[in-house]
Amino acid sequence: MQDQTPKDWLEAELQDTLDEDFEIEMEDAVLSQEIARIYRQTHPDQMPRADYFRELLRLQAEMIKLQDWVAHHKEKVVVIFEGRDSAGKGGAIKRITQRLNPRVARVVALPAPSDREKTQWYFQRYVPHLPAGGEIVLFDRSWYNRAGVERVMGFATEDQVQQFFDDVPEFERMLVRSGIRLVKYWFSITDEEQQMRFLMRIHDPLKQWKLSPMDLQSRVRWEDYTKAKEEMFERTNIPEAPWYIVPGNDKKRARLNCMAHLLTMVPYEPVPHEEITLPDRVFNPDYEREVLPPELYVPQRY
């Protein structure tokens, strides 16, 4: 086989990257024909895939610039993602972080609190995950669990909820005063859209793991969650850390709109980079590579 030129190799790498993007976008591929037909009817104005990928890659390139600026200037950024179950928070987070350095940008998605954590100061379990200088932390759900699922499902008393509402504005002001840039997003979808997405998950074996008992209860208690959300906005939408609502019925547009808005919330600029040159490989003519036993290799099945 003829050796590949650098151009051929770069084209192959780019194609591999685009294949990964396409693989991620195949989220809704395993659907019954009936569910797929209904979905197309309820989403007639879908964004052309080529336009979506072109803008996604452009925004992800800007995200890398933002990341470099945060790392260079030792900035601290916290982004909170809240919203209805199946509203698209996870998909947006995945696209934001897809090309970022995990040593700079990390996602925090905490499980249910342990018995010990239930006895702590409420915010205590979240504080260790806050960023140091040069870090971006994205919370896939956050301390606002207390204003949402904990309240609606009865995991927190009404006294605890009211204490949370009294405490959280000052807690967030403290974060901002400490130098943290705090951005809060609420992903919003309609009742009908959530029902459609839950049905898709039921019929998609690759997504059934996403349906928890809490998700199913969110359908039953839609109005309770609506009331809880409205009070949460009223009590916690402070000038230092306002809420930003992302309409989420169209997943692709929601991701792009969220990314574009986040880029406006941080005054990033290009930072200096040292020119990278590939050093020459050290060649030792006396070195002879040992042959490893075949059982150490992964079987070549494909």
Side-chain angles (χ1 to χ4, degrees), residues 4-220:
Q4 286 187 319
T5 67
K7 183 175 182 291
D8 292 335
W9 183 84
L10 286 171
E11 287 179 352
E13 284 294 300
L14 178 59
Q15 186 61 51
D16 187 54
T17 298
L18 293 176
D19 285 345
E20 290 179 7
D21 293 334
F22 185 70
E23 182 180 341
I24 290 175
E25 283 306 309
M26 291 296 289
E27 291 179 332
D28 303 324
V30 188
L31 296 174
S32 70
Q33 290 185 354
E34 181 64 13
I35 293 293
R37 182 185 65 79
I38 296 172
Y39 187 83
R40 285 193 295 271
Q41 287 180 347
T42 55
H43 299 78
D45 184 28
Q46 295 189 49
M47 190 174 189
R49 176 173 286 133
D51 294 346
Y52 168 71
F53 276 124
R54 187 180 301 111
E55 189 63 10
L56 177 65
L57 291 171
R58 185 189 72 80
L59 292 171
Q60 288 177 333
E62 291 298 314
M63 282 291 171
I64 293 173
K65 296 177 185 177
L66 184 152
Q67 165 196 262
D68 292 346
W69 181 85
V70 168
H72 180 78
H73 292 284
K74 301 300 180 185
E75 290 282 334
K76 297 173 286 187
V77 178
V78 169
V79 189
I80 287 175
F81 293 83
E82 295 285 347
R84 299 277 190 181
D85 291 314
S86 79
K89 303 178 296 296
I93 293 170
K94 188 184 299 181
R95 275 64 178 191
I96 290 170
T97 60
Q98 185 179 358
R99 306 186 190 283
L100 300 185
N101 184 346
R103 295 183 179 86
V104 176
R106 69 178 188 272
V107 179
V108 176
L110 298 184
S114 66
D115 290 341
R116 179 177 181 274
E117 288 172 328
K118 290 177 183 178
T119 68
Q120 294 176 339
W121 174 50
Y122 178 69
F123 297 98
Q124 190 169 337
R125 68 193 298 252
Y126 295 99
V127 169
H129 300 281
L130 294 173
E135 294 179 348
I136 303 169
V137 175
L138 298 93
F139 280 95
D140 186 353
R141 296 204 181 279
S142 65
W143 44 85
Y144 283 99
N145 276 338
R146 175 134 296 178
V149 64
E150 290 188 17
R151 184 182 198 183
V152 173
M153 298 302 297
F155 299 146
T157 67
E158 195 58 30
D159 286 344
Q160 289 175 319
V161 173
Q162 294 307 316
Q163 186 65 57
F164 170 80
F165 282 140
D166 291 340
D167 292 345
V168 72
E170 186 54 31
F171 174 69
E172 292 181 352
R173 291 187 185 103
M174 289 171 63
L175 298 184
V176 173
R177 287 198 298 268
S178 75
I180 290 176
R181 297 179 184 272
L182 178 59
V183 185
K184 303 187 302 195
Y185 289 116
W186 175 270
F187 279 69
S188 177
I189 56 172
T190 61
D191 188 352
E192 295 78 13
E193 181 68 16
Q194 187 187 61
Q195 181 174 356
M196 173 63 61
R197 292 184 185 179
F198 277 9
L199 287 172
M200 290 167 63
R201 290 180 179 183
I202 290 172
H203 290 273
D204 185 347
L206 300 180
K207 284 189 172 184
Q208 286 178 1
W209 65 270
K210 292 186 175 183
L211 275 177
S212 69
M214 294 300 160
D215 294 330
L216 299 176
Q217 279 298 312
S218 71
R219 288 299 303 148
V220 177

